[in-house]
Each structure stands twice: as C-alpha cells, then as structure tokens.
C-alpha cells in the first residue's frame, strides 16, 4: 500500500516550522528517512502515526485518510517512538502476553502462538523469561518491534531505532527489521547514512522540514559518480582547503594527516585523485547545498 503525504506543514507554538510544505510518496518496502538532529523526522513520524496534528496538508495510506480517520490507521499501524518509557519488571513473554490480551486476543493458546511467533522473529525467544527492564539497548529495541508486530501492522514506523546501539546490536536490529519489512511499508528514520545504505531500497534526505532528495541509495551515489575527489593534506591546511574547495568530509590518518573528500564537476587540481562515490558524499552535498540556500 502506498503512503502519500501532500503539502504537510507544522509549526510549533514556539514558532519553529518543523515540517515545511512537505510532499512525499512512499511505496511498499524499507524507506529510509535520513536527516540530522532537528530535521523534523520525529515530527513527521508522529504526525503519520496520528499522535500529533498538522497545520495543513493531507496524508493518505491506501484508502485511509490518515488525519481524518485516525482509528482506521491505528489498527494497521506499528509505531516505535524514538525514546521508549520504562518497562516493568516483567518477562518479555509475560509482557507480550499482557499486550496481546489488551489487544483483545482472548484465547490463551492463540496468544501463546502469537507471542512465540513475534519472539522468534525478533530473536528474543531464548531470553523470553528475562525481565525486559534488564535487557540491553538492542534487545529493548527488538522487544519494541516484537510488541508492534502483535498488531500485524501494514505500516511500520520506527524512529531512530539504531541510535546508541553498539555495532553488534545494531546489526542484529537491522537484520530483524529487514525480515519484518519484506511485506509491508516500513518507514525508518536515522541520522546514520550506513543504516540507509544497508537497509533501505528507497530513501529521502530531510532537513529543515523539507525533502531535499527522494532517491534510492544506488541512484544517489550514481548521481555524483566522477565528481568526488580526494587528497591527503596537513591538518593545518584544512581551513584553506575549505575556503577554496567544496570539502565534504575530512578524516584523520594515523600519521595525523587528513584525507579530504571534495565535490567538484572537474578535477579540482592535479594532486586530487578521483574516488568512488559513497552515500555519505551525497548526504553532505545535499546538506551543504541546503545551508547555502538558507544563507
Ligand atoms: P528530528 O527528529 O529530526 O531531530 P524533530 O521533529 O524532533 O526533529 O524536531 C524538528 C524541530 O522542531 C526542531 O527544531 C525541534 O527543536 C522542534 N520541536 C520538536 N518538538 C517540538 C515541540 N514539542 N515544541 C516545540 N518545538 C519542537
Ligand atoms: Mg527525532
């Protein structure tokens, strides 16, 4: 099912325009919403999840008018907020059984089957007897997915789920999400470019409440092919380089020199070497161009 957002706008009481006349179409599969802190990711997700109102605009999911018919959307929605509350000292299994009861699954054996299923999908079956309160960050995030799966959702919204996870936990989490996302629409927000690269078939770059680019990870990198250049410089030369060239990023080498990456249609100077583009390059180009528009 397709999600269509049209001319959505939201200004908070303090005057911050968090969503700025945003239009976006999202199809089935894993959709990555990539943007820095303050871009408007959480605002957009809370609005789609019907937890917050918009000033104007419409959101349509399949035949549901989301902002008009909140209950219809909630029935098919799974939402994992950016920060999750405190968990009681109950085991994952007992807690999921309780949530399933709340959702109206009356039969005990039906609940047991459902709970086992979501525990297995999220790789928590072996630790099902342990208290969720004692889970690691990554296990808690996977528990969040297990919980939203009880709904059998058609639309899943997860807001910055990998923030703060160590690399192993992050991998496990992305694997779970990858499996879950095969037959519904998943909107996944992050400020980590690699999350989108590894997980999503479609993506948008969000900043200042506006979509800067709606693309795919491979299309995005293809679009700057032949335009990314690198050079090794002394750390003291960085400022001068930034004044002269469109420097996207700089990384320290072990000998304290810097590797800079520059965006340019043609070779900036003879001591620059062409490199294969990365999704990070595209992200930095989009954000820098946006800064210049605003300046
Ligand atoms: P992100 O999730 O991408 O970090 P947010 O949607 O949380 O972005 O925030 C977008 C902008 O709106 C930021 O400038 C933030 O400070 C502001 N903002 C978010 N929530 C509120 C709120 N409840 N009241 C006022 N301003 C808010
Ligand atoms: Mg956020």
């Amino acid at each position: 099912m397709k999600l269509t957002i049209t001319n959505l706008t939201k200004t908070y009481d303090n005057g911050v325009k968090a969503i700025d006349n945003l239009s976006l179409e999202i199809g089935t599969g894993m959709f990555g919403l990539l943007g820095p802190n303050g871009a408007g990711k959480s605002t957009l997700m809370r609005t789609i999840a019907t937890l917050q109102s918009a000033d104007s605009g419409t959101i349509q999911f399949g035949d549901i008018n989301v902002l008009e018919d909140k209950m219809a959307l909630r029935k098919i929605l799974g939402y994992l907020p950016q920060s999750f509350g405190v968990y009681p000292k109950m085991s994952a299994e007992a807690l999921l059984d309780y949530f399933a009861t709340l959702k109206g699954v009356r039969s005990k054996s039906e609940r047991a089957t459902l709970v086992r299923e979501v525990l297995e999908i999220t790789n928590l079956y072996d630790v099902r007897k342990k208290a969720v309160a004692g889970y690691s960050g990554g296990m808690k995030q996977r528990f969040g997915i297990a919980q939203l799966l009880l709904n059998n959702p058609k639309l899943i919204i997860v807001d910055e789920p990998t923030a703060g996870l160590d690399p192993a936990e992050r991998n496990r989490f992305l694997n779970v999400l990858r499996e879950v996302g095969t037959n519904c629409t998943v909107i996944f927000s992050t400020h980590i470019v690699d999350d989108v690269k590894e997980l999503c078939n479609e993506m948008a770059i969000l900043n200042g409440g506006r979509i800067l680019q709606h693309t795919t990870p491979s299309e995005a990198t293809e679009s700057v092919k032949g335009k990314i250049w690198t050079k090794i410089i002394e750390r003291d030369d960085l400022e001068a380089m930034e004044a002269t060239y469109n420097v996207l990023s700089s990384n320290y080498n072990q000998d304290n020199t810097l590797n800079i990456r520059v965006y340019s249609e043609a070779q900036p100077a003879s001591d620059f070497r062409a490199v294969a583009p990365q999704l990070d390059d595209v992200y930095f180009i989009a954000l820098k161009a946006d800064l210049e528009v605003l300046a």
Side-chain angles (χ1 to χ4, degrees), residues 7 28 58 70 100 113 208 229:
N7 302 121
T28 311
T58 58
K70 297 189 172 75
T113 309
W229 308 86

Side-chain angles (χ1 to χ4, degrees), residues 53-65:
S53 66
D55 301 331
S56 57
T58 58
I59 303 175
Q60 188 81 27
F61 182 64
D63 52 14
I64 302 171
N65 180 335

Side-chain angles (χ1 to χ4, degrees), residues 36-43 45-46 82 159-160 189:
N37 280 334
K41 302 182 295 296
S42 295
T43 302
M45 294 183 127
R46 282 196 302 266
Q82 186 166 358
D159 195 358
E160 295 223 29
S189 80

Side-chain angles (χ1 to χ4, degrees), residues 110-121:
E110 239 177 81
R111 281 202 308 276
T113 309
L114 183 60
V115 166
R116 180 177 180 133
E117 202 176 285
V118 300
L119 282 168
E120 278 173 349
I121 293 173

